[in-house]
Amino acid sequence: MNITWQDLSFFLDKLKSLSVSKSIKLGDNGGFCVSTGYDLESWVYYPARIRNSEIVERAIKFFRENKISFMWPVYDGGEKILEDCGLLYAGSLTGMIYNPPSALQETSNYPSTLKATDWAQTAWRGFGGKAEEIPENYYKLVDALFNEPSFSMSAYTGKDTDNLKNYWGTYLLVNEPDATGVYYFATVPEMRRQGIARAMMKNICRLSRGKKILLQATPAGLPFYKNFGFTELCKIPVYSDTSDVF
């Protein structure tokens, strides 16, 4: 389980450093809150057992002052304290790992240049939203993600790269020394079950250059990752101020 939390910690620490983010330290164990300015892209990272309500109340106050929803993945227990403080169980993420084969073919279905706005709209649609309803602070978040050198962002495309409808999927890779973390992995609804997700994951395997691949799967994505060959490491309970997260 530690390897999953190391990857999540690395990712959230980079979110904390983005120009659009606000953050506070929660305690001496390295825990922190990070608010990116966009609902459910703001998190609590607390890598120890939750033992008192003071930490929880401090986190809740931070997010309420920013008027933003958030996710709190639980590492080592303390769920009852979260519930007593008014947070709701919102489901679980599944920590997963995959060791890719060493030899993979090059794939060419990626634009040579990619605009942050195109990636944002494709990812938004991939997670069930409508392009015309994207809030401005989401575009600001994606711009900031594009400018973080530890992140590598791609969009799978058809032949006509000038047509936004031919951007079919997205992902963000977190390049760590001994692993590749995968985030924002999504396919637009009209292109699902056509091999797009598998093609993107094969390219991620190639880009990982033999390093293990880590991700935290939502319930919707879990069947695909299992079918691709990922192994389950752990379940990560997630709490929020709303039960409608996944």
Side-chain angles (χ1 to χ4, degrees):
M1 185 168 181
N2 284 342
I3 191 171
T4 298
W5 278 83
Q6 288 166 6
D7 175 62
L8 189 59
S9 173
F10 187 90
F11 173 67
L12 296 181
D13 191 61
K14 295 303 180 184
L15 284 190
K16 186 174 64 172
S17 69
L18 297 180
S19 59
V20 296
S21 296
K22 299 177 182 178
S23 66
I24 61 166
K25 185 178 178 181
L26 285 176
D28 293 334
N29 64 355
F32 59 84
C33 297
V34 52
S35 171
T36 65
Y38 173 66
D39 276 359
L40 300 181
E41 293 297 345
S42 294
W43 299 71
V44 180
Y45 177 76
Y46 195 73
R49 179 177 289 270
I50 302 162
R51 299 187 182 276
N52 61 71
S53 59
E54 182 181 349
I55 290 289
V56 182
E57 289 168 353
R58 187 178 181 201
I60 291 173
K61 180 182 178 182
F62 171 76
F63 286 109
R64 286 182 177 164
E65 286 177 349
N66 285 282
K67 298 179 181 179
I68 196 165
S69 295
F70 62 95
M71 291 195 286
W72 187 323
V74 180
Y75 171 61
D76 191 31
E79 289 91 332
K80 186 177 186 304
I81 296 174
L82 290 171
E83 292 168 0
D84 289 346
C85 289
L87 296 185
L88 302 172
Y89 174 70
S92 66
L93 296 168
T94 302
M96 309 194 81
I97 189 169
Y98 181 72
N99 291 303
S102 56
L104 289 164
Q105 284 187 329
E106 182 82 15
T107 179
S108 59
N109 285 58
Y110 294 86
S112 56
T113 58
L114 178 63
K115 296 179 181 178
T117 52
D118 291 345
W119 191 97
Q121 291 183 27
T122 306
W124 183 269
R125 291 176 58 225
F127 284 100
K130 297 180 180 179
E132 63 271 18
E133 297 176 355
I134 301 177
E136 184 60 32
N137 55 3
Y138 181 74
Y139 281 118
K140 290 179 180 178
L141 169 60
V142 173
D143 277 335
L145 292 173
F146 262 68
N147 288 320
E148 167 52 55
S150 297
F151 297 160
S152 174
M153 303 171 75
S154 292
Y156 191 96
T157 183
K159 293 180 180 179
D160 180 9
T161 56
D162 293 328
N163 186 344
L164 181 61
K165 292 182 179 178
N166 281 329
Y167 285 89
W168 298 336
T170 59
Y171 58 79
L172 178 153
L173 303 185
V174 177
N175 301 306
E176 301 179 57
D178 60 349
T180 298
V182 180
Y183 294 85
Y184 302 102
F185 188 89
T187 307
V188 297
E190 66 269 23
M191 295 304 298
R192 290 174 186 162
R193 302 186 185 280
Q194 298 190 46
I196 305 301
R198 181 166 290 273
M200 289 197 299
M201 188 56 71
K202 285 183 177 180
N203 197 54
I204 290 171
C205 290
R206 182 184 63 82
L207 294 171
S208 72
R209 300 184 183 279
K211 293 187 292 186
K212 55 184 173 285
I213 298 171
L214 301 171
L215 55 83
Q216 292 80 48
T218 64
L222 189 57
F224 166 77
Y225 297 122
K226 284 185 174 180
N227 183 263
F228 191 86
F230 278 81
T231 301
E232 183 175 323
L233 290 173
C234 60
K235 291 291 187 182
I236 307 171
V238 175
Y239 280 75
S240 184
D241 55 354
T242 173
S243 60
D244 185 20
V245 171
F246 303 124

